Amino acid sequence: ILSAIAGYIVYKRGFEKDILNQHFIPIQSGTLETLSNILIDETGLADLLKEDFIKLTDITGKLIHNEVGEGIEKVKALITEYKQGVVYDIEDLKSDLKTTEFQEWLKIPVNNFKLIQHFNSKAELQSLLETEKIILSESNQLHKSSSLFNGIPNELTFLPTEKINSDLSSLLSKNNISLALSEFEPVKYFKDNILGKQKNINTTLTDETNLLNFWKFVFDNWFLFENETTIKDSLKHFEVLCKPKTENELSNKVISSAYLSVEFNSANEIESVVKNISPDEVFISDKYIDKKRDAEKWRKIFKQAGAITDLQRVMEVLLPNLPAFLEEKHFEITKQIFKFWKDPANTLTEA
């Protein structure tokens, strides 16, 4: 028995040595290769990327011929048994997608599109379009599709919000390929990206364009925000563009400390009153008013956002500070108080 076992071992070793040296597996070029030089690619990536596949994976094996048929399973078994050759599967692909080399390659829009198109064409790979961080953003970073917006309003481009790369988006549209991107929903976006983040948002409101655009976004979506108490209550914390006191000055202030200027309500304006009493106060810029956004709607929005919009609020704000004003201002303040009390038709306290 021992002799028979020893003979089998010698035979097996000889067989293994022989099979590993034999060129017996057909490859795509039409020639035969040894087992150690065979690549079975279950992802289709090697054929798609050619030389790039070698650079990105360091796999130099030759692709097995497409017409091997059922024999491919026998070759897989040999690869597994003798640990020679490569079977490149989806798990290998997912691992390679995380390498620095592959990610840099994916940051080229044409390459990114090529991979997406390939994944989209194969049912077994389609899920990777949602589970892997492979979709190129406008800031040249890679994300899962669900964390990217197909597009965002121009008024919000100053915020660090990721949308799909425009060149990539164009290629996808031309080829009728759609991804599971996030749809832009104003209320959800506000709650996810703006609500409770006033400190960070205000640090970006450092120029006139951003100060105008933030509130234009609020104006354009007021029909949605008006019934959202948490959103309305949060607006008082955000800065607003104000009229400059000197040329080329950028004036901005948290809206709850800013006064409504005459352009938003000429019939019952408070600007002249406040300027006489307290010249250092600031007034919301009339640059918010344009053909699409009228003064009356702005007045209502600014009032609900916490701006000081009427004489009642003026008195509430200024009276506690009366001792701080110069004595000569006391008479003017008193006149304005009586003027306010004397006018029962005052409608400024209405919404």
Side-chain angles (χ1 to χ4, degrees):
I1 294 175
L2 291 175
S3 176
I5 292 173
Y8 171 75
I9 292 174
V10 172
Y11 166 77
K12 189 172 186 295
R13 287 175 179 170
F15 174 78
E16 290 176 350
K17 182 177 180 180
D18 188 56
I19 195 173
L20 296 179
N21 291 327
Q22 291 297 316
H23 291 68
F24 69 102
I25 302 174
I27 59 174
Q28 286 192 5
S29 65
T31 59
L32 300 177
E33 269 294 344
T34 60
L35 182 65
S36 62
N37 204 26
I38 288 297
L39 165 63
I40 296 176
D41 177 19
E42 296 181 340
T43 70
L45 214 60
D47 191 42
L48 175 72
L49 302 184
K50 310 295 191 225
E51 292 300 318
D52 278 346
F53 179 81
I54 298 173
K55 295 176 183 177
L56 296 171
T57 65
D58 288 328
I59 296 173
T60 58
K62 307 297 183 182
L63 273 174
I64 195 167
H65 200 284
N66 293 333
E67 296 180 5
V68 171
E70 294 180 0
I72 198 168
E73 295 303 323
K74 295 179 180 179
V75 177
K76 283 183 183 179
L78 290 173
I79 289 174
T80 301
E81 182 177 356
Y82 295 107
K83 295 181 174 55
Q84 297 289 320
V86 175
V87 177
Y88 190 79
D89 60 19
I90 292 177
E91 292 305 313
D92 295 318
L93 171 57
K94 288 166 69 174
S95 178
D96 283 336
L97 288 172
K98 295 177 175 64
T99 65
T100 300
E101 292 78 9
F102 218 126
Q103 294 202 345
E104 289 303 312
W105 183 86
L106 281 170
K107 289 179 181 179
I108 299 172
V110 173
N111 292 345
N112 201 277
F113 167 72
K114 185 184 293 186
L115 191 75
I116 291 172
Q117 185 181 45
H118 179 67
F119 285 4
N120 188 65
S121 69
K122 292 185 174 295
E124 65 272 21
L125 299 179
Q126 287 175 0
S127 63
L128 300 182
L129 294 172
E130 297 182 25
T131 62
E132 305 305 305
K133 292 182 178 180
I134 58 173
I135 313 299
L136 187 64
S137 73
E138 197 74 289
S139 65
N140 212 42
Q141 299 301 312
L142 299 174
H143 295 267
K144 291 182 180 180
S145 60
S146 59
S147 65
L148 289 175
F149 289 102
N150 194 30
I152 59 173
N154 291 332
E155 288 78 14
L156 294 180
T157 53
F158 71 94
L159 293 178
T161 305
E162 288 288 17
K163 67 175 184 176
I164 191 169
N165 178 273
S166 54
D167 291 334
L168 173 60
S169 180
S170 178
L171 288 169
L172 293 172
S173 296
K174 288 178 182 177
N175 290 271
N176 297 315
I177 297 174
S178 60
L179 298 175
L181 302 173
S182 290
E183 289 295 324
F184 184 84
E185 299 174 6
V187 171
K188 185 178 187 304
Y189 179 88
F190 195 106
K191 290 182 176 180
D192 290 347
N193 298 279
I194 298 176
L195 190 64
K197 300 176 182 178
Q198 59 269 14
K199 185 175 181 180
N200 290 335
I201 300 294
N202 282 337
T203 61
T204 67
L205 300 178
T206 54
D207 61 55
E208 181 176 297
T209 299
N210 292 353
L211 285 160
L212 289 172
N213 280 340
F214 176 80
W215 287 98
K216 286 179 180 179
F217 168 68
V218 172
F219 184 105
D220 293 344
N221 294 282
W222 189 248
F223 69 102
L224 297 171
F225 296 161
E226 190 171 14
N227 296 319
E228 294 288 337
T229 303
T230 54
I231 290 179
K232 283 197 302 182
D233 289 347
S234 74
L235 293 175
K236 62 187 176 186
H237 300 296
F238 294 98
E239 296 194 358
V240 66
L241 180 68
C242 299
K243 291 180 176 179
K245 294 186 179 297
T246 60
E247 190 177 357
N248 298 324
E249 174 196 21
L250 177 69
S251 178
N252 56 297
K253 199 163 189 177
V254 173
I255 193 168
S256 56
S257 298
Y259 291 77
L260 194 71
S261 57
V262 62
E263 289 83 0
F264 295 95
N265 197 349
S266 58
N268 294 291
E269 62 94 9
I270 60 172
E271 186 170 351
S272 59
V273 174
V274 175
K275 281 183 175 178
N276 284 330
I277 297 172
S278 183
D280 292 333
E281 304 300 337
V282 293
F283 300 85
I284 297 173
S285 172
D286 60 331
K287 289 184 178 181
Y288 285 104
I289 303 169
D290 57 34
K291 292 180 180 179
K292 291 173 56 181
R293 304 171 181 91
D294 63 277
E296 175 58 19
K297 185 174 178 180
W298 273 122
R299 183 188 72 80
K300 292 180 179 180
I301 291 173
F302 286 148
K303 181 179 178 67
Q304 293 194 57
I308 304 169
T309 60
D310 55 52
L311 277 173
Q312 181 176 345
R313 284 290 315 284
V314 171
M315 296 306 125
E316 290 172 357
V317 172
L318 295 183
L319 279 179
N321 297 318
L322 188 61
F325 291 111
L326 296 175
E327 286 190 12
E328 55 262 34
K329 292 289 183 183
H330 290 186
F331 179 66
E332 180 63 32
I333 294 171
T334 303
K335 280 199 312 181
Q336 296 302 334
I337 293 172
F338 277 104
K339 178 181 176 183
F340 174 71
W341 280 344
K342 188 178 179 180
D343 184 10
N346 197 322
T347 60
L348 284 173
T349 56
E350 296 179 3

